[in-house]
Amino acid sequence: MAKDGEKGEWKEYIWNPRTREFLGRTASSWGLILLFYLIFYIFLAGLFALTMYVMLQTLDDHKPTWQDRLSIPGMVIKPNADEAFEIVYNTQDTESWDMFAQALDKFLSPYNDSVQAQKNYECTPDQYFEQEDSGDVKNNPKRSCQFNRTVLEDCSGIHDRYYGYRDGKPCIIIKLNRVIGMLPGKDGQPPFVTCGPKKEDTDKIGELAYFPPNGTFNLMYYPYYGKKAQVNYSQPLVAVKFLNITANQDVNIECKINANNIPAGNERDKFAGRVSFKLRINTKN
């Protein structure tokens, strides 16, 4: 009997036909509480939307409101065979070095003279190409300077489509990471790249050739205004050709950026403004 009574109480709690209550509430009570929560969540959604709208009004689509002021830009080399930054191949094995040539072809294709002439502007060398806004009027899109792959001469892939890899005189391409607003160099002195061996490999590196001459990044490619503001921006490049590096041995190389307003590095980030990699050219089967 007790079980039947408990069962009856549960049924009556779910639906009480005498008071017409469902789960202890009448239809009007349920309607009022649902209306309250509907209005409450609409208010929260509206408050969130208003907050997001106000925040978005403070943002610039073309330039980040806040950004880290990087005093030392990072460096990248091409081709980068893997994360270990090792370029190892055998001059007698075409397949071992052809992938490097193909990677450089793909990387340099946007720098073809015809492509650059179509997209970019012939700037005045050796001076910053500044394009400031006029008050609230945005000077967008901003123009970008041409960087033609022919500037890389022996490392352009035009005269030697193997980039020296077949002859044991390989080329590497270096670029600086983009930093919005950075003006590297002052008093008309452009930043430049130097490469050299690590201490243990001092006598293995041999002669180097830089393209453009002296491994410079011309000032006309700076400042950079951001991906949206400067859609066609072409990063300047420096090519380094190893003319008589010691064969059949590992050679550890470090390249770094030099400028009269870029710090040489610090203890917190020893790899800022420089890149290290291993180069090994095998000539024996």
Side-chain angles (χ1 to χ4, degrees), residues 204-233:
K204 299 179 183 177
I205 195 169
E207 184 182 359
L208 305 178
Y210 295 91
F211 309 98
N214 302 318
T216 58
F217 291 104
N218 201 287
L219 297 179
M220 66 181 176
Y221 299 105
Y222 303 97
Y224 169 60
Y225 288 97
K227 188 174 183 179
K228 286 190 175 182
Q230 220 168 355
V231 179
N232 295 325
Y233 182 74

mmCIF file of all heavy atoms in Angstrom, residues 204-233:
data_model
loop_
_atom_site.group_PDB
_atom_site.id
_atom_site.type_symbol
_atom_site.label_atom_id
_atom_site.label_comp_id
_atom_site.label_asym_id
_atom_site.label_seq_id
_atom_site.Cartn_x
_atom_site.Cartn_y
_atom_site.Cartn_z
ATOM 1 N N LYS A 204 86.800 26.121 -42.586
ATOM 2 C CA LYS A 204 86.069 25.281 -43.539
ATOM 3 C C LYS A 204 85.149 26.050 -44.473
ATOM 4 O O LYS A 204 84.702 25.508 -45.476
ATOM 5 C CB LYS A 204 85.208 24.248 -42.782
ATOM 6 C CG LYS A 204 85.982 23.283 -41.910
ATOM 7 C CD LYS A 204 85.011 22.345 -41.198
ATOM 8 C CE LYS A 204 85.739 21.402 -40.254
ATOM 9 N NZ LYS A 204 84.787 20.532 -39.512
ATOM 10 N N ILE A 205 84.864 27.305 -44.185
ATOM 11 C CA ILE A 205 83.787 27.974 -44.905
ATOM 12 C C ILE A 205 84.223 28.559 -46.246
ATOM 13 O O ILE A 205 83.458 28.613 -47.197
ATOM 14 C CB ILE A 205 83.141 29.067 -44.035
ATOM 15 C CG1 ILE A 205 81.805 29.502 -44.641
ATOM 16 C CG2 ILE A 205 84.069 30.244 -43.846
ATOM 17 C CD1 ILE A 205 80.981 30.379 -43.735
ATOM 18 N N GLY A 206 85.435 29.021 -46.366
ATOM 19 C CA GLY A 206 85.907 29.562 -47.640
ATOM 20 C C GLY A 206 85.293 30.913 -47.979
ATOM 21 O O GLY A 206 84.795 31.640 -47.118
ATOM 22 N N GLU A 207 85.316 31.235 -49.258
ATOM 23 C CA GLU A 207 84.855 32.543 -49.737
ATOM 24 C C GLU A 207 83.343 32.568 -49.915
ATOM 25 O O GLU A 207 82.728 31.590 -50.334
ATOM 26 C CB GLU A 207 85.534 32.873 -51.065
ATOM 27 C CG GLU A 207 85.219 34.252 -51.610
ATOM 28 C CD GLU A 207 85.875 34.508 -52.958
ATOM 29 O OE1 GLU A 207 86.598 33.602 -53.451
ATOM 30 O OE2 GLU A 207 85.643 35.599 -53.524
ATOM 31 N N LEU A 208 82.748 33.745 -49.631
ATOM 32 C CA LEU A 208 81.306 33.943 -49.781
ATOM 33 C C LEU A 208 81.044 35.099 -50.744
ATOM 34 O O LEU A 208 81.834 36.033 -50.844
ATOM 35 C CB LEU A 208 80.646 34.267 -48.441
ATOM 36 C CG LEU A 208 80.867 33.297 -47.276
ATOM 37 C CD1 LEU A 208 80.170 33.824 -46.025
ATOM 38 C CD2 LEU A 208 80.363 31.911 -47.622
ATOM 39 N N ALA A 209 79.914 35.005 -51.441
ATOM 40 C CA ALA A 209 79.470 36.113 -52.287
ATOM 41 C C ALA A 209 78.062 36.483 -51.853
ATOM 42 O O ALA A 209 77.219 35.601 -51.613
ATOM 43 C CB ALA A 209 79.490 35.706 -53.759
ATOM 44 N N TYR A 210 77.793 37.792 -51.733
ATOM 45 C CA TYR A 210 76.488 38.274 -51.290
ATOM 46 C C TYR A 210 75.782 38.992 -52.440
ATOM 47 O O TYR A 210 76.393 39.730 -53.211
ATOM 48 C CB TYR A 210 76.643 39.257 -50.121
ATOM 49 C CG TYR A 210 77.197 38.652 -48.860
ATOM 50 C CD1 TYR A 210 78.568 38.642 -48.611
ATOM 51 C CD2 TYR A 210 76.362 38.098 -47.897
ATOM 52 C CE1 TYR A 210 79.096 38.104 -47.447
ATOM 53 C CE2 TYR A 210 76.873 37.554 -46.727
ATOM 54 C CZ TYR A 210 78.242 37.556 -46.506
ATOM 55 O OH TYR A 210 78.751 37.019 -45.352
ATOM 56 N N PHE A 211 74.475 38.774 -52.514
ATOM 57 C CA PHE A 211 73.633 39.459 -53.499
ATOM 58 C C PHE A 211 72.356 39.911 -52.790
ATOM 59 O O PHE A 211 71.680 39.078 -52.175
ATOM 60 C CB PHE A 211 73.286 38.525 -54.655
ATOM 61 C CG PHE A 211 74.475 37.835 -55.273
ATOM 62 C CD1 PHE A 211 74.795 36.532 -54.889
ATOM 63 C CD2 PHE A 211 75.272 38.472 -56.209
ATOM 64 C CE1 PHE A 211 75.885 35.882 -55.448
ATOM 65 C CE2 PHE A 211 76.364 37.830 -56.771
ATOM 66 C CZ PHE A 211 76.666 36.535 -56.392
ATOM 67 N N PRO A 212 72.014 41.208 -52.891
ATOM 68 C CA PRO A 212 72.730 42.328 -53.489
ATOM 69 C C PRO A 212 74.116 42.512 -52.850
ATOM 70 O O PRO A 212 74.380 41.928 -51.805
ATOM 71 C CB PRO A 212 71.825 43.529 -53.165
ATOM 72 C CG PRO A 212 70.505 42.958 -52.788
ATOM 73 C CD PRO A 212 70.785 41.631 -52.205
ATOM 74 N N PRO A 213 74.959 43.323 -53.477
ATOM 75 C CA PRO A 213 76.318 43.517 -52.949
ATOM 76 C C PRO A 213 76.302 43.918 -51.478
ATOM 77 O O PRO A 213 75.458 44.703 -51.044
ATOM 78 C CB PRO A 213 76.875 44.641 -53.835
ATOM 79 C CG PRO A 213 76.104 44.520 -55.113
ATOM 80 C CD PRO A 213 74.730 44.082 -54.724
ATOM 81 N N ASN A 214 77.227 43.349 -50.730
ATOM 82 C CA ASN A 214 77.374 43.612 -49.295
ATOM 83 C C ASN A 214 76.223 43.069 -48.457
ATOM 84 O O ASN A 214 76.150 43.315 -47.255
ATOM 85 C CB ASN A 214 77.534 45.109 -49.018
ATOM 86 C CG ASN A 214 78.728 45.697 -49.735
ATOM 87 O OD1 ASN A 214 79.796 45.096 -49.777
ATOM 88 N ND2 ASN A 214 78.539 46.872 -50.338
ATOM 89 N N GLY A 215 75.319 42.326 -49.101
ATOM 90 C CA GLY A 215 74.235 41.699 -48.347
ATOM 91 C C GLY A 215 73.287 42.685 -47.686
ATOM 92 O O GLY A 215 72.798 42.441 -46.582
ATOM 93 N N THR A 216 72.969 43.792 -48.360
ATOM 94 C CA THR A 216 72.161 44.846 -47.747
ATOM 95 C C THR A 216 70.669 44.658 -48.006
ATOM 96 O O THR A 216 70.251 44.149 -49.049
ATOM 97 C CB THR A 216 72.574 46.224 -48.275
ATOM 98 O OG1 THR A 216 72.430 46.251 -49.695
ATOM 99 C CG2 THR A 216 74.000 46.533 -47.897
ATOM 100 N N PHE A 217 69.875 45.092 -47.033
ATOM 101 C CA PHE A 217 68.429 45.249 -47.194
ATOM 102 C C PHE A 217 68.186 46.740 -47.422
ATOM 103 O O PHE A 217 68.345 47.543 -46.496
ATOM 104 C CB PHE A 217 67.681 44.786 -45.949
ATOM 105 C CG PHE A 217 67.732 43.304 -45.708
ATOM 106 C CD1 PHE A 217 68.553 42.780 -44.720
ATOM 107 C CD2 PHE A 217 66.961 42.437 -46.460
ATOM 108 C CE1 PHE A 217 68.598 41.411 -44.491
ATOM 109 C CE2 PHE A 217 67.004 41.063 -46.237
ATOM 110 C CZ PHE A 217 67.824 40.551 -45.253
ATOM 111 N N ASN A 218 67.821 47.106 -48.625
ATOM 112 C CA ASN A 218 67.679 48.522 -48.953
ATOM 113 C C ASN A 218 66.605 49.188 -48.099
ATOM 114 O O ASN A 218 65.561 48.593 -47.803
ATOM 115 C CB ASN A 218 67.342 48.687 -50.434
ATOM 116 C CG ASN A 218 67.670 50.074 -50.941
ATOM 117 O OD1 ASN A 218 66.985 51.045 -50.625
ATOM 118 N ND2 ASN A 218 68.729 50.180 -51.725
ATOM 119 N N LEU A 219 66.841 50.430 -47.721
ATOM 120 C CA LEU A 219 65.925 51.161 -46.850
ATOM 121 C C LEU A 219 64.557 51.391 -47.482
ATOM 122 O O LEU A 219 63.565 51.605 -46.773
ATOM 123 C CB LEU A 219 66.533 52.511 -46.457
ATOM 124 C CG LEU A 219 67.831 52.469 -45.640
ATOM 125 C CD1 LEU A 219 68.308 53.886 -45.367
ATOM 126 C CD2 LEU A 219 67.634 51.714 -44.335
ATOM 127 N N MET A 220 64.458 51.328 -48.805
ATOM 128 C CA MET A 220 63.192 51.647 -49.457
ATOM 129 C C MET A 220 62.102 50.616 -49.162
ATOM 130 O O MET A 220 60.920 50.872 -49.426
ATOM 131 C CB MET A 220 63.382 51.782 -50.974
ATOM 132 C CG MET A 220 63.771 50.514 -51.679
ATOM 133 S SD MET A 220 64.004 50.804 -53.468
ATOM 134 C CE MET A 220 64.571 49.201 -54.021
ATOM 135 N N TYR A 221 62.458 49.457 -48.612
ATOM 136 C CA TYR A 221 61.457 48.444 -48.296
ATOM 137 C C TYR A 221 60.870 48.627 -46.899
ATOM 138 O O TYR A 221 60.088 47.783 -46.442
ATOM 139 C CB TYR A 221 62.071 47.049 -48.431
ATOM 140 C CG TYR A 221 62.566 46.776 -49.833
ATOM 141 C CD1 TYR A 221 63.929 46.798 -50.118
ATOM 142 C CD2 TYR A 221 61.682 46.551 -50.871
ATOM 143 C CE1 TYR A 221 64.388 46.580 -51.414
ATOM 144 C CE2 TYR A 221 62.124 46.331 -52.166
ATOM 145 C CZ TYR A 221 63.488 46.345 -52.423
ATOM 146 O OH TYR A 221 63.934 46.141 -53.703
ATOM 147 N N TYR A 222 61.217 49.704 -46.254
ATOM 148 C CA TYR A 222 60.744 49.978 -44.892
ATOM 149 C C TYR A 222 60.157 51.385 -44.827
ATOM 150 O O TYR A 222 60.564 52.258 -45.580
ATOM 151 C CB TYR A 222 61.907 49.831 -43.896
ATOM 152 C CG TYR A 222 62.553 48.471 -43.943
ATOM 153 C CD1 TYR A 222 63.716 48.266 -44.692
ATOM 154 C CD2 TYR A 222 61.979 47.393 -43.284
ATOM 155 C CE1 TYR A 222 64.298 47.011 -44.765
ATOM 156 C CE2 TYR A 222 62.563 46.141 -43.348
ATOM 157 C CZ TYR A 222 63.723 45.951 -44.086
ATOM 158 O OH TYR A 222 64.287 44.707 -44.172
ATOM 159 N N PRO A 223 59.177 51.629 -43.946
ATOM 160 C CA PRO A 223 58.604 50.676 -42.996
ATOM 161 C C PRO A 223 57.557 49.772 -43.637
ATOM 162 O O PRO A 223 57.029 50.075 -44.709
ATOM 163 C CB PRO A 223 57.955 51.588 -41.956
ATOM 164 C CG PRO A 223 57.543 52.792 -42.752
ATOM 165 C CD PRO A 223 58.622 52.984 -43.787
ATOM 166 N N TYR A 224 57.277 48.692 -42.952
ATOM 167 C CA TYR A 224 56.210 47.770 -43.347
ATOM 168 C C TYR A 224 54.954 48.160 -42.577
ATOM 169 O O TYR A 224 55.002 48.390 -41.375
ATOM 170 C CB TYR A 224 56.637 46.341 -43.020
ATOM 171 C CG TYR A 224 55.549 45.308 -43.136
ATOM 172 C CD1 TYR A 224 54.896 45.083 -44.345
ATOM 173 C CD2 TYR A 224 55.174 44.546 -42.028
ATOM 174 C CE1 TYR A 224 53.900 44.136 -44.448
ATOM 175 C CE2 TYR A 224 54.190 43.584 -42.131
ATOM 176 C CZ TYR A 224 53.552 43.381 -43.339
ATOM 177 O OH TYR A 224 52.574 42.432 -43.439
ATOM 178 N N TYR A 225 53.804 48.229 -43.291
ATOM 179 C CA TYR A 225 52.587 48.753 -42.682
ATOM 180 C C TYR A 225 51.556 47.691 -42.327
ATOM 181 O O TYR A 225 50.487 48.033 -41.823
ATOM 182 C CB TYR A 225 51.944 49.785 -43.611
ATOM 183 C CG TYR A 225 52.719 51.078 -43.677
ATOM 184 C CD1 TYR A 225 53.627 51.326 -44.706
ATOM 185 C CD2 TYR A 225 52.557 52.057 -42.701
ATOM 186 C CE1 TYR A 225 54.346 52.506 -44.763
ATOM 187 C CE2 TYR A 225 53.264 53.249 -42.750
ATOM 188 C CZ TYR A 225 54.154 53.466 -43.782
ATOM 189 O OH TYR A 225 54.873 54.643 -43.819
ATOM 190 N N GLY A 226 51.842 46.443 -42.572
ATOM 191 C CA GLY A 226 50.885 45.396 -42.214
ATOM 192 C C GLY A 226 50.287 44.729 -43.437
ATOM 193 O O GLY A 226 50.238 45.290 -44.541
ATOM 194 N N LYS A 227 49.814 43.513 -43.228
ATOM 195 C CA LYS A 227 49.339 42.672 -44.330
ATOM 196 C C LYS A 227 48.132 43.260 -45.046
ATOM 197 O O LYS A 227 48.014 43.175 -46.270
ATOM 198 C CB LYS A 227 48.999 41.280 -43.787
ATOM 199 C CG LYS A 227 48.677 40.257 -44.851
ATOM 200 C CD LYS A 227 48.494 38.885 -44.229
ATOM 201 C CE LYS A 227 48.230 37.835 -45.306
ATOM 202 N NZ LYS A 227 48.059 36.472 -44.716
ATOM 203 N N LYS A 228 47.208 43.859 -44.297
ATOM 204 C CA LYS A 228 46.004 44.412 -44.921
ATOM 205 C C LYS A 228 46.266 45.757 -45.571
ATOM 206 O O LYS A 228 45.699 46.076 -46.618
ATOM 207 C CB LYS A 228 44.887 44.531 -43.884
ATOM 208 C CG LYS A 228 44.261 43.195 -43.499
ATOM 209 C CD LYS A 228 43.013 43.401 -42.657
ATOM 210 C CE LYS A 228 42.315 42.079 -42.384
ATOM 211 N NZ LYS A 228 41.067 42.257 -41.593
ATOM 212 N N ALA A 229 47.100 46.569 -44.942
ATOM 213 C CA ALA A 229 47.378 47.901 -45.487
ATOM 214 C C ALA A 229 48.302 47.826 -46.694
ATOM 215 O O ALA A 229 48.215 48.654 -47.600
ATOM 216 C CB ALA A 229 47.986 48.792 -44.408
ATOM 217 N N GLN A 230 49.187 46.839 -46.725
ATOM 218 C CA GLN A 230 50.187 46.719 -47.783
ATOM 219 C C GLN A 230 50.091 45.317 -48.379
ATOM 220 O O GLN A 230 50.939 44.452 -48.160
ATOM 221 C CB GLN A 230 51.577 46.972 -47.199
ATOM 222 C CG GLN A 230 52.490 47.777 -48.092
ATOM 223 C CD GLN A 230 53.732 48.249 -47.371
ATOM 224 O OE1 GLN A 230 53.907 48.067 -46.169
ATOM 225 N NE2 GLN A 230 54.633 48.870 -48.111
ATOM 226 N N VAL A 231 49.060 45.109 -49.149
ATOM 227 C CA VAL A 231 48.706 43.768 -49.627
ATOM 228 C C VAL A 231 49.809 43.152 -50.473
ATOM 229 O O VAL A 231 50.103 41.954 -50.369
ATOM 230 C CB VAL A 231 47.386 43.827 -50.430
ATOM 231 C CG1 VAL A 231 47.025 42.439 -50.952
ATOM 232 C CG2 VAL A 231 46.264 44.374 -49.559
ATOM 233 N N ASN A 232 50.437 43.930 -51.324
ATOM 234 C CA ASN A 232 51.420 43.393 -52.274
ATOM 235 C C ASN A 232 52.859 43.481 -51.790
ATOM 236 O O ASN A 232 53.786 43.364 -52.591
ATOM 237 C CB ASN A 232 51.296 44.129 -53.613
ATOM 238 C CG ASN A 232 49.962 43.865 -54.279
ATOM 239 O OD1 ASN A 232 49.411 42.782 -54.182
ATOM 240 N ND2 ASN A 232 49.421 44.878 -54.949
ATOM 241 N N TYR A 233 53.042 43.699 -50.498
ATOM 242 C CA TYR A 233 54.401 43.882 -49.979
ATOM 243 C C TYR A 233 55.287 42.676 -50.281
ATOM 244 O O TYR A 233 54.911 41.523 -50.043
ATOM 245 C CB TYR A 233 54.352 44.099 -48.473
ATOM 246 C CG TYR A 233 55.714 44.336 -47.845
ATOM 247 C CD1 TYR A 233 56.372 45.546 -48.006
ATOM 248 C CD2 TYR A 233 56.327 43.343 -47.085
ATOM 249 C CE1 TYR A 233 57.608 45.779 -47.423
ATOM 250 C CE2 TYR A 233 57.570 43.568 -46.496
ATOM 251 C CZ TYR A 233 58.207 44.777 -46.670
ATOM 252 O OH TYR A 233 59.436 44.994 -46.098
#
